Amino acid sequence: MRWLKKSILRSLFLELFVFLALAGGVFFYFYKKGVDTVSLKHVGLFLGVFMIYFLVIGSFYIVKPLRTILLQVQALLSGKPYKQIYTERIDEIGILAHFFNQVTAGLGEASYDIKDRERMLGELNIAAQLQKDILPPKNPVVEGLQIVAKNKPATEVGGDIFNFITVKDKTYIYIGDATGHGVAAGLIMTMVSTLVSVFSGFFESAYDILVNVNKHVKSYVRKAMFMTMVMLCWDKSTKKMTFVGAGHEHILLYHASSGECEAILSGGVAIGMVPDNSKSIKEQQLNAEDGDYIVLYSDGITEAKNPSGEMFGLERLKGFVVEYAPQYSAEGVNYHIAKSLVDFMKDHSQDDDITLIVIKLDKNSSMVENPNAQATNW
């Protein structure tokens, strides 16, 4: 009789049929006994019994279960605690109860996912704030140099790193780019930034700093996690600029005397790629003179794409350096390159972290020209 249990209407029709059959039997019995007519009293009694029967059946079989379901639905809609409805019925009432249970189970999972997402977003915000605190909030004041850096992470936590550290007569200027972006890249970025800050106080050359940073980073990161990097060292006493490359992008050197922009390979291997990089990196001198520009960048610039999929590229970046360097200070060059990049990308999303550092050798410079442009955020 499973087909009856699947429908309330079928059950009611069956019960009505049985009731009418019984009533017919009773009337037939009285007819056989010689009762010719049935009084209104008998009809009323029959109808009364019929109504009471169906009211009782309807109350216990339909109304009460529906009321239970409606009470739980009201609790759900009003944000009050609700309970799942346990029933073995497979009719319309059972379907409603099962539907309610499925919906609330899905809401429970969604609520858990939302809470988990909120927790993760909270942790990401903390990580992003920590990273923001690690990166320099303003451009430095370095005698003999104009320095303007801008950074824009692709996600809440970026993998690009840069900083300016002055120890006695030397100022270290570095830029790095961890593999990928996001939390993992942010962790490497934080580790490298901390180690550079510590070792710059112990060692007297960019070479020694990066050798020791690499040694410690390699001990803690997985094989596929590393950071490209290049570090400049400006010696205020000798007015010389040197660099050590660790697998990073080119260094762009604009010569004011000739109006040409030279792309110099940074060389070396990335931080964290090999246990000992002492033989893979070296300190070299940059042949930069007063009035020349040095541009450091992350691949988020050269690999930025426009809506048609074309990349910004190194040659386009060099062309803008050649165009803007004769006209502007370090601040102006940085601003106009950034604007040109944004115009190139148009509506295309930013796929990677972007960092741009423009340095001008200026023997007359002892302070930032425009205090309003000191912030390093893009």
Side-chain angles (χ1 to χ4, degrees):
M1 301 295 288
R2 185 177 176 84
W3 67 279
L4 284 174
K5 294 181 179 180
K6 289 184 177 181
S7 173
I8 295 174
L9 288 177
R10 288 177 189 172
S11 299
L12 290 176
F13 276 123
L14 178 63
E15 291 170 2
L16 178 60
F17 175 78
V18 172
F19 189 84
L20 290 174
L22 290 172
V26 171
F27 280 107
F28 183 74
Y29 172 79
F30 281 113
Y31 177 76
K32 284 293 186 180
K33 289 289 186 179
V35 179
D36 294 329
T37 59
V38 179
S39 67
L40 290 174
K41 182 179 180 181
H42 291 122
V43 174
L45 180 62
F46 171 75
L47 292 176
V49 172
F50 178 79
M51 291 298 293
I52 291 171
Y53 173 77
F54 272 93
L55 284 173
V56 171
I57 291 296
S59 175
F60 285 95
Y61 197 66
I62 301 174
V63 176
K64 187 176 180 181
L66 273 177
R67 180 174 174 78
T68 301
I69 294 173
L70 288 174
L71 285 174
Q72 298 306 317
V73 171
Q74 287 175 347
L76 171 64
L77 295 177
S78 60
K80 296 178 181 178
Y82 55 85
K83 299 178 182 178
Q84 285 201 319
I85 303 167
Y86 298 98
T87 180
E88 295 181 356
R89 293 175 63 162
I90 57 175
D91 56 11
E92 290 86 350
I93 298 293
I95 291 172
L96 286 174
H98 179 71
F99 177 74
F100 176 81
N101 291 339
Q102 289 293 104
V103 169
T104 52
L107 287 175
E109 292 176 4
S111 176
Y112 177 80
D113 290 342
I114 290 171
K115 289 180 180 178
D116 192 50
R117 179 177 174 80
E118 288 176 348
R119 177 186 60 80
M120 292 179 66
L121 285 175
E123 292 177 357
L124 277 175
N125 288 333
I126 293 172
Q129 187 58 50
L130 287 173
Q131 184 182 53
K132 192 177 292 185
D133 293 340
I134 288 173
L135 294 176
K138 294 184 178 181
N139 291 299
V141 176
V142 178
E143 185 179 337
L145 299 177
Q146 295 179 20
I147 304 176
V148 178
K150 297 292 180 182
N151 168 261
K152 185 180 182 182
T155 56
E156 289 85 354
V157 181
D160 279 9
I161 182 178
F162 68 98
N163 208 343
F164 321 100
I165 301 173
T166 298
V167 181
K168 297 179 181 178
D169 287 340
K170 293 183 177 180
T171 297
Y172 300 103
I173 305 163
Y174 67 86
I175 183 174
D177 184 6
T179 50
H181 51 272
V183 176
L187 290 173
I188 298 178
M189 170 265 186
T190 303
M191 185 186 304
V192 171
S193 178
T194 303
L195 289 172
V196 170
S197 297
V198 172
F199 290 142
S200 60
F202 286 94
F203 301 102
E204 297 184 356
S205 71
Y207 171 84
D208 289 329
I209 292 172
L210 293 194
V211 166
N212 284 277
V213 167
N214 178 80
K215 187 185 301 181
H216 285 77
V217 168
K218 185 59 181 176
S219 303
Y220 296 103
V221 299
R222 294 179 297 177
K223 185 179 293 186
M225 299 171 68
F226 53 86
M227 169 175 275
T228 65
M229 196 170 181
V230 63
M231 177 178 282
L232 307 181
C233 178
W234 168 251
D235 191 323
K236 183 179 69 173
S237 59
T238 63
K239 308 298 182 192
K240 299 294 182 182
M241 183 78 79
T242 58
F243 75 93
V244 178
H248 196 67
E249 304 295 314
H250 290 80
I251 300 170
L252 300 186
L253 176 57
Y254 172 79
H255 298 281
S257 58
S258 63
E260 296 179 352
C261 184
E262 180 183 3
I264 302 170
L265 283 170
S266 62
V269 296
I271 300 295
M273 187 169 283
V274 295
D276 182 8
N277 66 349
S278 59
K279 302 233 177 5
S280 305
I281 65 174
K282 58 182 179 179
E283 191 154 10
Q284 305 175 66
Q285 185 167 320
L286 271 177
N287 296 318
E289 300 176 352
D290 189 58
D292 290 352
Y293 284 82
I294 300 169
V295 177
L296 305 178
Y297 61 94
S298 63
D299 61 6
I301 292 180
T302 52
E303 295 179 6
K305 296 178 181 179
N306 61 17
S308 64
E310 180 188 5
M311 290 200 301
F312 192 74
L314 177 61
E315 292 304 316
R316 185 177 275 105
L317 177 59
K318 287 173 60 180
F320 283 128
V321 172
V322 171
E323 179 181 352
Y324 299 135
Q327 306 178 58
Y328 303 107
S329 63
E331 177 196 336
V333 172
N334 194 304
Y335 170 80
H336 284 283
I337 290 177
K339 185 177 183 300
S340 299
L341 177 63
V342 171
D343 292 342
F344 172 82
M345 293 174 65
K346 295 181 181 177
D347 296 330
H348 194 280
S349 60
Q350 182 184 339
D351 298 324
D352 201 359
D353 307 321
I354 292 174
T355 303
L356 177 66
I357 303 176
V358 177
I359 305 164
K360 181 179 181 181
L361 277 69
D362 183 359
K363 62 183 180 181
N364 298 318
S365 176
S366 59
M367 59 184 297
V368 175
E369 293 182 359
N370 184 1
N372 296 323
Q374 287 190 11
T376 58
N377 58 300
W378 193 275

